[in-house]
Amino acid sequence: MNDAPLATLLFPFERGLVDPPRDEDRVLFLGAPGGLLLPADFAGQLSAVQGFRPDYLALQQAGFAVSPEPQGESYDLALVLLGRHRRENELLLAQALRRTRPGALIAAACAKKDGGGSVRKRMAGLLPLEDHASKHHGVVFWLRRPESLEPGLVAELADGGDAADGFATAAGGFSDDGVDPGSALLVECLPDDLSGRVADFAAGWGYLSVAAAGRASDVKSIDLYEAHHASLEAARRNMAAGAPQMPVRFFWHDLLGEPVDERYDVILMNPPFHRSRAAEPDMGHGMIAAAAKALKPRGRLFLVANRQLPYEESLQKHFAAQGELRRDTVFKVLWARK
């Protein structure tokens, strides 16, 4: 989910700048990557935290104890792998402080291109750092959890706000600063005759689902599928507030790696096309294929995408009919029918 180099985080341990954990130590790893490999002398009882479903599944398959949200307290060591989103980074650092014992080591790393230097300076302004280093195109810093935390310090880190445009959002998730313009355009183009069972693929914090629930009286139920756990939790809050009467289910799900067992009359989608900074249109093609499999005969798909993405070829491959509803200077809204 992020680009922060694991090698940067492990550098102070491998160079003997800090001691690796012992067998009896409890270690919390916030933002643990799916391809996690630890040094041979890295002992301890590791609890990995990863809210991005593909990485979570990879960690689980590799045999790590992993959860989508932090659990437990009084850890002896916290490792924190940071990414591009300042608000998410500060929430992770706040969790590290909350869940370690006094005197515990907290080590965090962030890629330089993601603002690693700024994160280090921010933390140094709040708490004394033991040291820091630059290595492998990243910045790593480490500190000891104080015996007592000053009132408001953790709250200051965690106070990133969680609402925009009247909706709950999720730090680090898609469009965490408000309604995405592409999704708004898709909602404008949705027909009034939506009916039956509806699914929202790559639902984010649920904007499309809330809109569909309020727009079409014949919608019987809505299922939301999302790989980013915090976004799905925000979607729960938004559906409870914006569509409390709608039968709804939530699936923490990797649409590109896990099959969809249900079948739907309508699927709505603003498919992601970035894993990091580089555009990867194959993600959208894969989600279109997944939507085609999950639709009933004559079921309909409505999606929005950047104008330059060549999704029409996938729609022609997987659907009996397809077309365009609207486009503006940035986006296009497409439809397809099984």
Side-chain angles (χ1 to χ4, degrees), residues 26-74:
R26 297 173 61 242
V27 181
L28 178 66
F29 196 152
L30 297 162
L36 178 60
L37 291 173
L38 294 172
D41 64 345
F42 212 85
Q45 305 165 41
L46 183 72
S47 297
V49 178
Q50 178 52 256
F52 184 52
R53 183 72 175 176
D55 282 345
Y56 170 91
L57 292 173
L59 287 163
Q60 190 178 62
Q61 185 173 5
F64 290 103
V66 57
S67 61
E69 296 179 339
Q71 299 175 359
E73 296 179 343
S74 299

mmCIF file of all heavy atoms in Angstrom, residues 26-74:
data_model
loop_
_atom_site.group_PDB
_atom_site.id
_atom_site.type_symbol
_atom_site.label_atom_id
_atom_site.label_comp_id
_atom_site.label_asym_id
_atom_site.label_seq_id
_atom_site.Cartn_x
_atom_site.Cartn_y
_atom_site.Cartn_z
ATOM 1 N N ARG A 26 7.419 -8.480 22.790
ATOM 2 C CA ARG A 26 6.220 -8.362 21.971
ATOM 3 C C ARG A 26 6.411 -7.190 21.011
ATOM 4 O O ARG A 26 6.683 -6.058 21.430
ATOM 5 C CB ARG A 26 4.983 -8.141 22.836
ATOM 6 C CG ARG A 26 4.695 -9.310 23.772
ATOM 7 C CD ARG A 26 3.562 -8.995 24.733
ATOM 8 N NE ARG A 26 2.317 -8.729 24.025
ATOM 9 C CZ ARG A 26 1.663 -7.567 24.079
ATOM 10 N NH1 ARG A 26 2.142 -6.554 24.794
ATOM 11 N NH2 ARG A 26 0.528 -7.407 23.424
ATOM 12 N N VAL A 27 6.279 -7.473 19.715
ATOM 13 C CA VAL A 27 6.591 -6.493 18.675
ATOM 14 C C VAL A 27 5.337 -6.177 17.869
ATOM 15 O O VAL A 27 4.667 -7.085 17.361
ATOM 16 C CB VAL A 27 7.693 -7.021 17.724
ATOM 17 C CG1 VAL A 27 8.025 -5.973 16.661
ATOM 18 C CG2 VAL A 27 8.933 -7.409 18.521
ATOM 19 N N LEU A 28 5.038 -4.898 17.757
ATOM 20 C CA LEU A 28 3.918 -4.430 16.939
ATOM 21 C C LEU A 28 4.477 -3.832 15.656
ATOM 22 O O LEU A 28 5.345 -2.964 15.698
ATOM 23 C CB LEU A 28 3.130 -3.361 17.700
ATOM 24 C CG LEU A 28 1.948 -2.717 16.982
ATOM 25 C CD1 LEU A 28 0.840 -3.737 16.742
ATOM 26 C CD2 LEU A 28 1.416 -1.530 17.779
ATOM 27 N N PHE A 29 4.002 -4.311 14.512
ATOM 28 C CA PHE A 29 4.476 -3.804 13.218
ATOM 29 C C PHE A 29 3.297 -3.159 12.502
ATOM 30 O O PHE A 29 2.445 -3.837 11.935
ATOM 31 C CB PHE A 29 5.077 -4.922 12.370
ATOM 32 C CG PHE A 29 5.925 -4.439 11.212
ATOM 33 C CD1 PHE A 29 6.957 -5.222 10.724
ATOM 34 C CD2 PHE A 29 5.703 -3.207 10.601
ATOM 35 C CE1 PHE A 29 7.743 -4.795 9.659
ATOM 36 C CE2 PHE A 29 6.467 -2.757 9.554
ATOM 37 C CZ PHE A 29 7.495 -3.558 9.076
ATOM 38 N N LEU A 30 3.241 -1.840 12.522
ATOM 39 C CA LEU A 30 2.178 -1.073 11.874
ATOM 40 C C LEU A 30 2.557 -0.798 10.417
ATOM 41 O O LEU A 30 3.623 -0.258 10.137
ATOM 42 C CB LEU A 30 1.965 0.241 12.612
ATOM 43 C CG LEU A 30 1.480 0.108 14.064
ATOM 44 C CD1 LEU A 30 1.727 1.395 14.829
ATOM 45 C CD2 LEU A 30 0.009 -0.266 14.100
ATOM 46 N N GLY A 31 1.662 -1.178 9.497
ATOM 47 C CA GLY A 31 1.947 -1.005 8.074
ATOM 48 C C GLY A 31 2.857 -2.082 7.518
ATOM 49 O O GLY A 31 3.556 -1.852 6.528
ATOM 50 N N ALA A 32 2.847 -3.259 8.116
ATOM 51 C CA ALA A 32 3.703 -4.355 7.652
ATOM 52 C C ALA A 32 3.410 -4.673 6.184
ATOM 53 O O ALA A 32 2.254 -4.827 5.800
ATOM 54 C CB ALA A 32 3.475 -5.590 8.511
ATOM 55 N N PRO A 33 4.441 -4.779 5.338
ATOM 56 C CA PRO A 33 4.215 -5.032 3.909
ATOM 57 C C PRO A 33 3.923 -6.495 3.626
ATOM 58 O O PRO A 33 4.311 -7.391 4.390
ATOM 59 C CB PRO A 33 5.547 -4.600 3.273
ATOM 60 C CG PRO A 33 6.561 -4.885 4.343
ATOM 61 C CD PRO A 33 5.868 -4.609 5.662
ATOM 62 N N GLY A 34 3.259 -6.736 2.518
ATOM 63 C CA GLY A 34 2.909 -8.099 2.171
ATOM 64 C C GLY A 34 4.100 -9.001 1.947
ATOM 65 O O GLY A 34 4.046 -10.195 2.229
ATOM 66 N N GLY A 35 5.205 -8.456 1.454
ATOM 67 C CA GLY A 35 6.403 -9.249 1.197
ATOM 68 C C GLY A 35 7.390 -9.210 2.342
ATOM 69 O O GLY A 35 8.595 -9.204 2.113
ATOM 70 N N LEU A 36 6.905 -9.183 3.563
ATOM 71 C CA LEU A 36 7.753 -9.000 4.739
ATOM 72 C C LEU A 36 8.758 -10.137 4.902
ATOM 73 O O LEU A 36 8.389 -11.301 4.958
ATOM 74 C CB LEU A 36 6.883 -8.895 5.993
ATOM 75 C CG LEU A 36 7.609 -8.753 7.327
ATOM 76 C CD1 LEU A 36 8.475 -7.497 7.349
ATOM 77 C CD2 LEU A 36 6.611 -8.740 8.479
ATOM 78 N N LEU A 37 10.037 -9.767 4.995
ATOM 79 C CA LEU A 37 11.121 -10.682 5.339
ATOM 80 C C LEU A 37 11.942 -10.016 6.427
ATOM 81 O O LEU A 37 12.376 -8.873 6.266
ATOM 82 C CB LEU A 37 12.006 -10.992 4.126
ATOM 83 C CG LEU A 37 11.380 -11.828 3.001
ATOM 84 C CD1 LEU A 37 12.331 -11.902 1.811
ATOM 85 C CD2 LEU A 37 11.054 -13.233 3.503
ATOM 86 N N LEU A 38 12.155 -10.701 7.514
ATOM 87 C CA LEU A 38 12.891 -10.148 8.646
ATOM 88 C C LEU A 38 14.260 -10.807 8.756
ATOM 89 O O LEU A 38 14.440 -11.968 8.357
ATOM 90 C CB LEU A 38 12.105 -10.363 9.939
ATOM 91 C CG LEU A 38 10.782 -9.601 10.045
ATOM 92 C CD1 LEU A 38 10.012 -10.054 11.276
ATOM 93 C CD2 LEU A 38 11.011 -8.095 10.075
ATOM 94 N N PRO A 39 15.250 -10.091 9.317
ATOM 95 C CA PRO A 39 16.574 -10.693 9.511
ATOM 96 C C PRO A 39 16.506 -11.922 10.404
ATOM 97 O O PRO A 39 15.597 -12.083 11.227
ATOM 98 C CB PRO A 39 17.378 -9.565 10.182
ATOM 99 C CG PRO A 39 16.644 -8.309 9.852
ATOM 100 C CD PRO A 39 15.197 -8.694 9.749
ATOM 101 N N ALA A 40 17.485 -12.799 10.258
ATOM 102 C CA ALA A 40 17.486 -14.058 11.002
ATOM 103 C C ALA A 40 17.532 -13.833 12.501
ATOM 104 O O ALA A 40 16.978 -14.634 13.272
ATOM 105 C CB ALA A 40 18.673 -14.912 10.558
ATOM 106 N N ASP A 41 18.186 -12.764 12.955
ATOM 107 C CA ASP A 41 18.305 -12.530 14.392
ATOM 108 C C ASP A 41 17.171 -11.681 14.945
ATOM 109 O O ASP A 41 17.208 -11.246 16.094
ATOM 110 C CB ASP A 41 19.642 -11.850 14.711
ATOM 111 C CG ASP A 41 19.756 -10.463 14.088
ATOM 112 O OD1 ASP A 41 18.952 -10.141 13.186
ATOM 113 O OD2 ASP A 41 20.662 -9.708 14.515
ATOM 114 N N PHE A 42 16.137 -11.453 14.140
ATOM 115 C CA PHE A 42 15.017 -10.619 14.556
ATOM 116 C C PHE A 42 13.995 -11.511 15.237
ATOM 117 O O PHE A 42 13.127 -12.114 14.603
ATOM 118 C CB PHE A 42 14.406 -9.938 13.332
ATOM 119 C CG PHE A 42 13.826 -8.573 13.624
ATOM 120 C CD1 PHE A 42 14.633 -7.456 13.620
ATOM 121 C CD2 PHE A 42 12.486 -8.422 13.903
ATOM 122 C CE1 PHE A 42 14.120 -6.196 13.875
ATOM 123 C CE2 PHE A 42 11.952 -7.179 14.164
ATOM 124 C CZ PHE A 42 12.777 -6.057 14.154
ATOM 125 N N ALA A 43 14.110 -11.625 16.565
ATOM 126 C CA ALA A 43 13.241 -12.524 17.325
ATOM 127 C C ALA A 43 11.984 -11.770 17.759
ATOM 128 O O ALA A 43 11.593 -10.778 17.164
ATOM 129 C CB ALA A 43 14.006 -13.079 18.520
ATOM 130 N N GLY A 44 11.347 -12.255 18.811
ATOM 131 C CA GLY A 44 10.166 -11.579 19.327
ATOM 132 C C GLY A 44 8.874 -12.151 18.775
ATOM 133 O O GLY A 44 8.860 -12.874 17.776
ATOM 134 N N GLN A 45 7.805 -11.811 19.442
ATOM 135 C CA GLN A 45 6.459 -12.238 19.047
ATOM 136 C C GLN A 45 5.826 -11.106 18.236
ATOM 137 O O GLN A 45 5.388 -10.100 18.793
ATOM 138 C CB GLN A 45 5.645 -12.546 20.295
ATOM 139 C CG GLN A 45 6.290 -13.560 21.216
ATOM 140 C CD GLN A 45 5.658 -13.589 22.587
ATOM 141 O OE1 GLN A 45 4.435 -13.512 22.713
ATOM 142 N NE2 GLN A 45 6.478 -13.681 23.626
ATOM 143 N N LEU A 46 5.787 -11.286 16.936
ATOM 144 C CA LEU A 46 5.383 -10.207 16.032
ATOM 145 C C LEU A 46 3.875 -10.197 15.815
ATOM 146 O O LEU A 46 3.275 -11.228 15.498
ATOM 147 C CB LEU A 46 6.091 -10.357 14.689
ATOM 148 C CG LEU A 46 5.819 -9.248 13.674
ATOM 149 C CD1 LEU A 46 6.508 -7.956 14.093
ATOM 150 C CD2 LEU A 46 6.269 -9.659 12.271
ATOM 151 N N SER A 47 3.274 -9.021 15.987
ATOM 152 C CA SER A 47 1.875 -8.793 15.624
ATOM 153 C C SER A 47 1.858 -7.768 14.499
ATOM 154 O O SER A 47 2.157 -6.589 14.720
ATOM 155 C CB SER A 47 1.079 -8.275 16.829
ATOM 156 O OG SER A 47 1.044 -9.234 17.861
ATOM 157 N N ALA A 48 1.532 -8.215 13.297
ATOM 158 C CA ALA A 48 1.520 -7.333 12.133
ATOM 159 C C ALA A 48 0.150 -6.685 11.983
ATOM 160 O O ALA A 48 -0.885 -7.300 12.280
ATOM 161 C CB ALA A 48 1.873 -8.120 10.875
ATOM 162 N N VAL A 49 0.154 -5.451 11.523
ATOM 163 C CA VAL A 49 -1.089 -4.718 11.264
ATOM 164 C C VAL A 49 -1.060 -4.242 9.821
ATOM 165 O O VAL A 49 -0.127 -3.548 9.402
ATOM 166 C CB VAL A 49 -1.246 -3.516 12.214
ATOM 167 C CG1 VAL A 49 -2.531 -2.750 11.890
ATOM 168 C CG2 VAL A 49 -1.248 -3.979 13.661
ATOM 169 N N GLN A 50 -2.069 -4.640 9.052
ATOM 170 C CA GLN A 50 -2.141 -4.256 7.638
ATOM 171 C C GLN A 50 -3.606 -4.210 7.215
ATOM 172 O O GLN A 50 -4.307 -5.221 7.248
ATOM 173 C CB GLN A 50 -1.363 -5.251 6.779
ATOM 174 C CG GLN A 50 -1.407 -4.989 5.289
ATOM 175 C CD GLN A 50 -1.031 -3.563 4.917
ATOM 176 O OE1 GLN A 50 -1.890 -2.736 4.597
ATOM 177 N NE2 GLN A 50 0.262 -3.261 4.972
ATOM 178 N N GLY A 51 -4.065 -3.017 6.833
ATOM 179 C CA GLY A 51 -5.457 -2.846 6.451
ATOM 180 C C GLY A 51 -5.734 -2.966 4.973
ATOM 181 O O GLY A 51 -6.906 -2.905 4.569
ATOM 182 N N PHE A 52 -4.693 -3.143 4.144
ATOM 183 C CA PHE A 52 -4.899 -3.315 2.706
ATOM 184 C C PHE A 52 -4.987 -4.803 2.412
ATOM 185 O O PHE A 52 -4.057 -5.571 2.674
ATOM 186 C CB PHE A 52 -3.755 -2.665 1.939
ATOM 187 C CG PHE A 52 -3.922 -2.694 0.445
ATOM 188 C CD1 PHE A 52 -5.091 -2.235 -0.153
ATOM 189 C CD2 PHE A 52 -2.909 -3.166 -0.366
ATOM 190 C CE1 PHE A 52 -5.243 -2.263 -1.535
ATOM 191 C CE2 PHE A 52 -3.050 -3.186 -1.750
ATOM 192 C CZ PHE A 52 -4.225 -2.736 -2.333
ATOM 193 N N ARG A 53 -6.126 -5.229 1.930
ATOM 194 C CA ARG A 53 -6.453 -6.645 1.845
ATOM 195 C C ARG A 53 -5.399 -7.505 1.123
ATOM 196 O O ARG A 53 -5.036 -8.575 1.633
ATOM 197 C CB ARG A 53 -7.818 -6.800 1.170
ATOM 198 C CG ARG A 53 -8.336 -8.232 1.064
ATOM 199 C CD ARG A 53 -8.774 -8.792 2.400
ATOM 200 N NE ARG A 53 -9.371 -10.114 2.227
ATOM 201 C CZ ARG A 53 -9.774 -10.873 3.235
ATOM 202 N NH1 ARG A 53 -9.653 -10.450 4.479
ATOM 203 N NH2 ARG A 53 -10.298 -12.057 3.005
ATOM 204 N N PRO A 54 -4.873 -7.118 -0.044
ATOM 205 C CA PRO A 54 -3.874 -7.981 -0.685
ATOM 206 C C PRO A 54 -2.635 -8.206 0.179
ATOM 207 O O PRO A 54 -2.125 -9.324 0.260
ATOM 208 C CB PRO A 54 -3.536 -7.225 -1.976
ATOM 209 C CG PRO A 54 -4.751 -6.423 -2.269
ATOM 210 C CD PRO A 54 -5.267 -6.000 -0.926
ATOM 211 N N ASP A 55 -2.137 -7.149 0.840
ATOM 212 C CA ASP A 55 -0.980 -7.313 1.723
ATOM 213 C C ASP A 55 -1.335 -8.139 2.950
ATOM 214 O O ASP A 55 -0.529 -8.952 3.422
ATOM 215 C CB ASP A 55 -0.443 -5.945 2.146
ATOM 216 C CG ASP A 55 0.383 -5.277 1.051
ATOM 217 O OD1 ASP A 55 0.768 -5.973 0.103
ATOM 218 O OD2 ASP A 55 0.636 -4.069 1.159
ATOM 219 N N TYR A 56 -2.519 -7.924 3.484
ATOM 220 C CA TYR A 56 -2.990 -8.723 4.621
ATOM 221 C C TYR A 56 -2.981 -10.204 4.267
ATOM 222 O O TYR A 56 -2.493 -11.048 5.040
ATOM 223 C CB TYR A 56 -4.391 -8.267 5.019
ATOM 224 C CG TYR A 56 -5.080 -9.150 6.024
ATOM 225 C CD1 TYR A 56 -4.973 -8.906 7.391
ATOM 226 C CD2 TYR A 56 -5.861 -10.237 5.607
ATOM 227 C CE1 TYR A 56 -5.602 -9.718 8.319
ATOM 228 C CE2 TYR A 56 -6.494 -11.050 6.524
ATOM 229 C CZ TYR A 56 -6.367 -10.783 7.880
ATOM 230 O OH TYR A 56 -6.998 -11.600 8.788
ATOM 231 N N LEU A 57 -3.524 -10.549 3.109
ATOM 232 C CA LEU A 57 -3.595 -11.949 2.701
ATOM 233 C C LEU A 57 -2.201 -12.534 2.489
ATOM 234 O O LEU A 57 -1.944 -13.695 2.823
ATOM 235 C CB LEU A 57 -4.420 -12.083 1.431
ATOM 236 C CG LEU A 57 -5.918 -11.773 1.572
ATOM 237 C CD1 LEU A 57 -6.601 -11.773 0.208
ATOM 238 C CD2 LEU A 57 -6.591 -12.762 2.515
ATOM 239 N N ALA A 58 -1.283 -11.724 1.936
ATOM 240 C CA ALA A 58 0.085 -12.201 1.734
ATOM 241 C C ALA A 58 0.778 -12.470 3.068
ATOM 242 O O ALA A 58 1.486 -13.481 3.221
ATOM 243 C CB ALA A 58 0.876 -11.177 0.928
ATOM 244 N N LEU A 59 0.580 -11.593 4.040
ATOM 245 C CA LEU A 59 1.160 -11.799 5.365
ATOM 246 C C LEU A 59 0.568 -13.039 6.032
ATOM 247 O O LEU A 59 1.285 -13.842 6.649
ATOM 248 C CB LEU A 59 0.914 -10.564 6.237
ATOM 249 C CG LEU A 59 1.753 -9.327 5.906
ATOM 250 C CD1 LEU A 59 1.141 -8.085 6.526
ATOM 251 C CD2 LEU A 59 3.183 -9.512 6.388
ATOM 252 N N GLN A 60 -0.727 -13.188 5.901
ATOM 253 C CA GLN A 60 -1.400 -14.349 6.481
ATOM 254 C C GLN A 60 -0.872 -15.636 5.861
ATOM 255 O O GLN A 60 -0.597 -16.622 6.561
ATOM 256 C CB GLN A 60 -2.900 -14.220 6.267
ATOM 257 C CG GLN A 60 -3.745 -15.212 7.020
ATOM 258 C CD GLN A 60 -5.227 -14.962 6.786
ATOM 259 O OE1 GLN A 60 -5.718 -15.043 5.656
ATOM 260 N NE2 GLN A 60 -5.947 -14.645 7.859
ATOM 261 N N GLN A 61 -0.712 -15.636 4.551
ATOM 262 C CA GLN A 61 -0.220 -16.822 3.854
ATOM 263 C C GLN A 61 1.221 -17.140 4.256
ATOM 264 O O GLN A 61 1.621 -18.307 4.309
ATOM 265 C CB GLN A 61 -0.310 -16.629 2.343
ATOM 266 C CG GLN A 61 0.058 -17.858 1.539
ATOM 267 C CD GLN A 61 -0.194 -17.676 0.051
ATOM 268 O OE1 GLN A 61 -0.562 -16.607 -0.403
ATOM 269 N NE2 GLN A 61 -0.003 -18.737 -0.714
ATOM 270 N N ALA A 62 2.007 -16.096 4.564
ATOM 271 C CA ALA A 62 3.393 -16.294 4.977
ATOM 272 C C ALA A 62 3.514 -16.752 6.425
ATOM 273 O O ALA A 62 4.622 -17.022 6.903
ATOM 274 C CB ALA A 62 4.182 -15.004 4.779
ATOM 275 N N GLY A 63 2.382 -16.811 7.146
ATOM 276 C CA GLY A 63 2.393 -17.339 8.496
ATOM 277 C C GLY A 63 2.487 -16.314 9.602
ATOM 278 O O GLY A 63 2.633 -16.675 10.779
ATOM 279 N N PHE A 64 2.386 -15.034 9.262
ATOM 280 C CA PHE A 64 2.445 -13.995 10.288
ATOM 281 C C PHE A 64 1.086 -13.848 10.975
ATOM 282 O O PHE A 64 0.036 -14.035 10.352
ATOM 283 C CB PHE A 64 2.840 -12.646 9.678
ATOM 284 C CG PHE A 64 4.272 -12.584 9.216
ATOM 285 C CD1 PHE A 64 4.579 -12.681 7.864
ATOM 286 C CD2 PHE A 64 5.299 -12.419 10.131
ATOM 287 C CE1 PHE A 64 5.892 -12.610 7.425
ATOM 288 C CE2 PHE A 64 6.614 -12.358 9.701
ATOM 289 C CZ PHE A 64 6.919 -12.463 8.352
ATOM 290 N N ALA A 65 1.122 -13.479 12.252
ATOM 291 C CA ALA A 65 -0.095 -13.084 12.954
ATOM 292 C C ALA A 65 -0.422 -11.661 12.521
ATOM 293 O O ALA A 65 0.346 -10.739 12.778
ATOM 294 C CB ALA A 65 0.116 -13.149 14.462
ATOM 295 N N VAL A 66 -1.544 -11.471 11.846
ATOM 296 C CA VAL A 66 -1.843 -10.174 11.229
ATOM 297 C C VAL A 66 -3.304 -9.817 11.462
ATOM 298 O O VAL A 66 -4.175 -10.695 11.489
ATOM 299 C CB VAL A 66 -1.515 -10.188 9.714
ATOM 300 C CG1 VAL A 66 -2.274 -11.291 8.986
ATOM 301 C CG2 VAL A 66 -1.757 -8.830 9.076
ATOM 302 N N SER A 67 -3.562 -8.542 11.660
ATOM 303 C CA SER A 67 -4.915 -8.029 11.826
ATOM 304 C C SER A 67 -5.029 -6.715 11.052
ATOM 305 O O SER A 67 -4.031 -6.046 10.789
ATOM 306 C CB SER A 67 -5.231 -7.800 13.305
ATOM 307 O OG SER A 67 -4.342 -6.854 13.860
ATOM 308 N N PRO A 68 -6.253 -6.326 10.666
ATOM 309 C CA PRO A 68 -6.417 -5.079 9.907
ATOM 310 C C PRO A 68 -6.311 -3.827 10.771
ATOM 311 O O PRO A 68 -6.093 -2.735 10.243
ATOM 312 C CB PRO A 68 -7.809 -5.209 9.298
ATOM 313 C CG PRO A 68 -8.537 -6.121 10.236
ATOM 314 C CD PRO A 68 -7.508 -7.084 10.741
ATOM 315 N N GLU A 69 -6.468 -3.964 12.081
ATOM 316 C CA GLU A 69 -6.379 -2.845 13.002
ATOM 317 C C GLU A 69 -5.511 -3.245 14.191
ATOM 318 O O GLU A 69 -5.439 -4.429 14.542
ATOM 319 C CB GLU A 69 -7.766 -2.437 13.498
ATOM 320 C CG GLU A 69 -8.672 -1.913 12.395
ATOM 321 C CD GLU A 69 -10.050 -1.546 12.925
ATOM 322 O OE1 GLU A 69 -10.411 -2.051 14.007
ATOM 323 O OE2 GLU A 69 -10.747 -0.765 12.262
ATOM 324 N N PRO A 70 -4.841 -2.275 14.842
ATOM 325 C CA PRO A 70 -3.999 -2.610 15.992
ATOM 326 C C PRO A 70 -4.819 -3.206 17.130
ATOM 327 O O PRO A 70 -5.947 -2.792 17.379
ATOM 328 C CB PRO A 70 -3.393 -1.259 16.399
ATOM 329 C CG PRO A 70 -3.567 -0.370 15.226
ATOM 330 C CD PRO A 70 -4.791 -0.841 14.517
ATOM 331 N N GLN A 71 -4.219 -4.174 17.797
ATOM 332 C CA GLN A 71 -4.850 -4.808 18.942
ATOM 333 C C GLN A 71 -3.819 -4.958 20.060
ATOM 334 O O GLN A 71 -2.637 -5.165 19.794
ATOM 335 C CB GLN A 71 -5.406 -6.182 18.570
ATOM 336 C CG GLN A 71 -6.473 -6.147 17.487
ATOM 337 C CD GLN A 71 -6.928 -7.532 17.061
ATOM 338 O OE1 GLN A 71 -6.425 -8.530 17.558
ATOM 339 N NE2 GLN A 71 -7.882 -7.592 16.152
ATOM 340 N N GLY A 72 -4.250 -4.852 21.298
ATOM 341 C CA GLY A 72 -3.358 -5.063 22.424
ATOM 342 C C GLY A 72 -2.591 -3.812 22.818
ATOM 343 O O GLY A 72 -2.615 -2.792 22.120
ATOM 344 N N GLU A 73 -1.896 -3.905 23.937
ATOM 345 C CA GLU A 73 -1.142 -2.780 24.482
ATOM 346 C C GLU A 73 0.154 -3.281 25.098
ATOM 347 O O GLU A 73 0.430 -4.488 25.130
ATOM 348 C CB GLU A 73 -1.972 -2.049 25.544
ATOM 349 C CG GLU A 73 -3.234 -1.409 25.003
ATOM 350 C CD GLU A 73 -4.044 -0.724 26.101
ATOM 351 O OE1 GLU A 73 -3.799 -1.031 27.293
ATOM 352 O OE2 GLU A 73 -4.915 0.100 25.770
ATOM 353 N N SER A 74 0.978 -2.335 25.574
ATOM 354 C CA SER A 74 2.220 -2.621 26.300
ATOM 355 C C SER A 74 3.223 -3.409 25.473
ATOM 356 O O SER A 74 3.960 -4.266 25.988
ATOM 357 C CB SER A 74 1.920 -3.361 27.616
ATOM 358 O OG SER A 74 1.100 -2.570 28.451
#
